[in-house]
Amino acid sequence: MMFSVITVTPEQTWRVGELLGRALGPGDTVCLYGDLGAGKTNFSYGIALGLEVDAKYITSPTFAFVNEYKGRMPLYHIDLYRINDSEELENIGFEHYIGGDGATVIEWADRAEAALPADRLSVYLTHVDDKSREIGFLAEGERYRELLEELRRELKV
């Protein structure tokens, strides 16, 4: 299953992420794809809000690789922008976050394609113009098809 939405402000991108975050459960994996500035971190911020993470603690993990947040369940926010190979991926303990007790959001997921779980939600963020973003969703696995159906209903798309 797949569908997409257009957002024209960072707040709208947060809102879509927040709706998704409310629906996520333990072990869920969300893989984010998109160029620099496409909105991956804004979308992740929204997911964190949906998981009831205190907004003042949410930052981009570009230099830390992984930020762990406490909300209604753990959120593992991984940024692979600076990862160059599978050894570096192993060094950050990547495999320990996947399918665990919290939700995992991976920015720059294309840098770890071989290590990603087969069942996952892939989210593609692209520039439409200077302000607008298209957020495309692809469900890979039954759990994620159900999740997207719920999100689609919430978004009224």
Side-chain angles (χ1 to χ4, degrees):
M1 174 191 186
M2 56 189 336
F3 73 91
S4 66
V5 296
I6 303 287
T7 61
V8 294
T9 65
E11 293 80 12
Q12 287 179 341
T13 302
W14 297 343
R15 177 71 176 138
V16 175
E18 183 178 3
L19 289 171
L20 176 61
R22 289 181 187 170
L24 292 176
D28 284 339
T29 301
V30 179
C31 299
L32 305 181
Y33 300 86
D35 293 334
L36 275 173
K40 295 180 298 297
T41 300
N42 275 331
F43 190 77
S44 298
Y45 179 84
I47 290 173
L49 294 177
L51 288 169
E52 301 171 21
V53 172
D54 188 333
K56 68 183 173 192
Y57 296 113
I58 303 168
T59 60
S60 176
T62 300
F63 294 100
F65 296 113
V66 180
N67 285 343
E68 297 183 21
Y69 299 108
K70 289 182 179 7
R72 67 174 167 82
M73 69 178 173
L75 169 62
Y76 306 113
H77 183 191
I78 302 172
D79 187 323
L80 300 179
Y81 181 71
R82 294 181 40 230
I83 293 292
N84 295 310
D85 58 40
S86 59
E87 184 177 318
E88 287 181 336
L89 200 59
E90 193 174 300
N91 288 340
I92 66 167
F94 181 79
E95 69 280 352
H96 298 294
Y97 295 102
I98 305 296
D101 61 342
T104 304
V105 174
I106 305 165
E107 294 189 38
W108 299 96
D110 52 303
R111 297 183 182 232
E113 203 66 44
L116 297 175
D119 286 5
R120 64 184 187 249
L121 178 62
S122 294
V123 180
Y124 300 87
L125 294 104
T126 55
H127 294 94
V128 174
D129 57 38
D130 286 347
K131 293 184 179 184
S132 303
R133 303 292 183 267
E134 181 175 16
I135 306 171
F137 299 91
L138 173 62
E140 301 181 69
E142 186 58 34
R143 160 72 181 135
Y144 299 99
R145 281 189 283 280
E146 293 168 4
L147 192 67
L148 275 194
E149 284 295 338
E150 184 177 336
L151 180 61
R152 184 182 226 162
R153 282 191 300 275
E154 288 287 324
L155 292 169
K156 297 172 179 56
V157 201

